[in-house]
Amino acid sequence: YLGGTTTPNSRIGNIKEGIHLPIVTYPLSDAASNNLGLPNEGNEINVYRAKEFLKLRTFPFGWSLMASPDDLDQEIKLENLVKGMQLFEEADVDFLEENKSCPNTGEGKPDYKTMFTEMRYVGDHFLKKRSIKNRERVVPVIVKLSNDILVNDVPMILDVVFEAGYDGVNFGNTSVNYQEMRSRIHPQERTLFDYFTHTFKGGVSG
C-alpha cells in the first residue's frame, strides 16, 4: 500500500474553471485525466494516519512525499521535505517514495540541474544518514520520476539517483505528452480527451 502523495503543509488542491479537483475517466481506453494538485492535509496528520494503519498491516506499507510547491525558498523547501521523511521513518513505514514528477502543481517541469541538486540534498541530509535503529534494515527510499523523461536521458539520471543514495526508481507518473497520449485514446473518447486537456490541462494516466 502506498499512501500520499503528501506535502509538509495542507493543500486544498486545484480549482480550475470553478471545478475543485477536476478529473475524468476514459473507460474505453482504460485511462483517465486529472488536475488534482496534491490535495492533502499535510505530513503531520498523515503521519498520524500512517501510524494507525501500521498497527494493522499485513503487507508492505509505504508513503509518498513531495516538497511543497508553496515553499518559495529552495532551502526551506528541501528542509521541510527531509523533515517529512524523518517523520514517516520514525513512524516505521516499510518504504518511502519521493515524488518528483507531479505535473499539476504549477511549478512546471524541473530542469535536470535543479532536480539533481535536490536529489543530492536529500541524499546528504537524509538518505546517507539513515540508521537501522530498531529495524532489521534502513527504510528504503525510491524516487518517482516522470514517464515523459526521454529514454536516452535515463542512464544519466540513474547515475545521480544512486550516487545520492536512493534505493530505486519509479517511472512514472501521469503524462502531459498529450499528442502521444491522444493516439492511445479510443476514438469515441477523443472529444472528451481534447476538451479536458485543453480546458483543465493536467496529467493523463492509464
Side-chain angles (χ1 to χ4, degrees):
Y1 179 87
L2 179 64
T5 296
T6 186
T7 53
N9 60 313
S10 63
R11 290 174 53 86
I12 64 169
N14 289 338
I15 299 175
K16 297 279 187 178
E17 302 295 324
I19 296 178
H20 184 215
L21 308 179
I23 184 171
V24 67
T25 59
Y26 313 113
L28 300 177
S29 310
D30 293 323
S33 287
N34 84 82
N35 194 338
L36 303 183
L38 300 176
N40 75 98
E41 294 179 280
N43 284 338
E44 292 186 0
I45 290 178
N46 283 312
V47 164
Y48 173 80
R49 289 178 173 148
K51 289 179 179 178
E52 293 302 303
F53 281 121
L54 287 165
K55 294 176 183 177
L56 306 172
R57 69 177 166 197
T58 55
F59 46 81
F61 185 96
W63 208 274
S64 176
L65 301 92
M66 187 172 185
S68 175
D70 305 312
D71 285 334
L72 300 180
D73 183 279
Q74 185 71 358
E75 187 75 14
I76 292 175
K77 182 177 189 172
L78 295 175
E79 284 179 3
N80 288 336
L81 171 62
V82 167
K83 288 177 182 176
M85 290 180 162
Q86 291 168 341
L87 287 174
F88 281 96
E89 178 189 33
E90 291 167 3
D92 203 32
V93 296
D94 294 302
F95 64 97
L96 290 172
E97 175 191 81
E98 183 192 345
N99 185 350
K100 299 195 72 61
S101 59
C102 181
N104 300 327
T105 58
E107 289 192 300
K109 182 179 178 180
D111 60 87
Y112 285 158
K113 181 178 179 181
T114 299
M115 185 169 72
F116 293 164
T117 298
E118 293 175 350
M119 286 180 179
R120 291 182 175 117
Y121 182 97
V122 172
D124 291 339
H125 292 83
F126 181 76
L127 300 176
K128 295 174 182 176
K129 294 184 176 182
R130 289 173 289 177
S131 60
I132 293 178
K133 298 179 181 177
N134 295 322
R135 302 170 60 90
E136 294 181 0
R137 61 175 180 168
V138 297
V139 58
V141 181
I142 60 176
V143 58
K144 184 178 187 180
L145 301 171
S146 171
N147 54 3
D148 289 335
I149 287 175
L150 298 177
V151 173
N152 289 342
D153 291 342
V154 171
M156 170 186 66
I157 294 170
L158 293 184
D159 284 344
V160 179
V161 165
F162 296 118
E163 169 201 319
Y166 291 93
D167 301 283
V169 292
N170 175 9
F171 290 96
N173 206 325
T174 54
S175 174
V176 293
N177 189 344
Y178 301 141
Q179 183 174 357
E180 180 180 348
M181 293 300 102
R182 190 179 191 276
S183 67
R184 304 182 186 188
I185 298 297
H186 192 283
Q188 293 182 28
E189 296 175 327
R190 285 181 184 165
T191 299
L192 178 59
F193 176 87
D194 292 341
Y195 174 79
F196 191 97
T197 54
H198 175 77
T199 306
F200 301 103
K201 308 297 182 186
V204 184
S205 60

